[in-house]
């Protein structure tokens, strides 16, 4: 089982990773961040993506969809932003956020690796 720091370090080993965060979407606060920099403020990204997650959860409730969100993908000109909602005991209300360099990443592999990190994460 991995703690937050270990999980985020592992996320940055994903090919093309720019930065990663573990976020509480009930508060919008990042529980941990790694990477980022001038081009990507992970604290701002955590808060902004919280609004994206909340909107999607509300929309699914209004539609009566009884499914779990696995992940949300935002595609930019040069980046992918991947949001993986966590499931399981003690993980409700949390998501992993991963920003990737679009030209240096494999989106399918990144999704697979983020799912593995989620499974090993102990919050």
């Amino acid at each position: 089982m991995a703690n937050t720091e270990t999980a985020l370090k592992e996320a940055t080993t994903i090919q093309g990773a720019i930065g990663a965060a573990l976020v509480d979407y009930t508060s919008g606060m990042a529980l941990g961040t790694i990477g980022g920099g001038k081009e990507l403020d992970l604290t701002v990204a955590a808060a902004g993506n919280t609004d994206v997650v909340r909107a999607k959860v509300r929309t699914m409730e209004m539609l009566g969809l009884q499914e779990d969100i696995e992940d949300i993908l935002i595609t930019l000109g040069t980046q992918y932003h991947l949001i993986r909602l966590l499931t399981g005991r003690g993980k409700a209300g949390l998501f992993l956020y991963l920003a990737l360099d679009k030209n240096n990443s494999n989106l399918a592999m990144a999704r697979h690796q983020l799912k593995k990190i989620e499974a090993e994460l102990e919050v």
Side-chain angles (χ1 to χ4, degrees):
M1 292 291 157
N3 64 19
T4 300
E5 183 180 348
T6 303
L8 291 176
K9 283 181 182 176
E10 188 173 341
T12 62
T13 68
I14 295 172
Q15 183 179 345
I18 298 169
L22 177 64
V23 184
D24 176 347
Y25 69 82
T26 58
S27 69
M29 300 295 292
L31 303 178
T33 63
I34 191 167
K38 290 180 184 178
E39 75 270 2
L40 180 64
D41 183 330
L42 288 169
T43 304
V44 173
N49 285 309
T50 293
D51 292 335
V52 171
V53 171
R54 288 178 186 162
K56 188 59 186 173
V57 168
R58 264 194 321 273
T59 301
M60 289 186 60
E61 288 172 356
M62 292 183 333
L63 292 171
L65 297 175
Q66 301 298 316
E67 296 193 48
D68 293 327
I69 300 170
E70 289 184 17
D71 53 44
I72 298 169
L73 172 65
I74 300 168
T75 305
L76 305 177
T78 60
Q79 297 177 1
Y80 293 124
H81 290 217
L82 191 55
I83 300 167
R84 179 151 187 98
L85 277 71
L86 304 186
T87 58
R89 200 174 87 208
K91 297 180 185 176
L94 301 177
F95 66 86
L96 280 168
Y97 168 71
L98 177 66
L100 299 162
D101 178 324
K102 192 174 179 180
N103 294 319
N104 189 28
S105 60
N106 178 323
L107 185 56
M109 186 58 75
R111 289 183 68 224
H112 175 73
Q113 289 173 295
L114 209 54
K115 183 177 182 177
K116 180 178 178 255
I117 291 168
E118 174 197 2
E120 295 171 357
L121 178 63
E122 188 70 33
V123 183

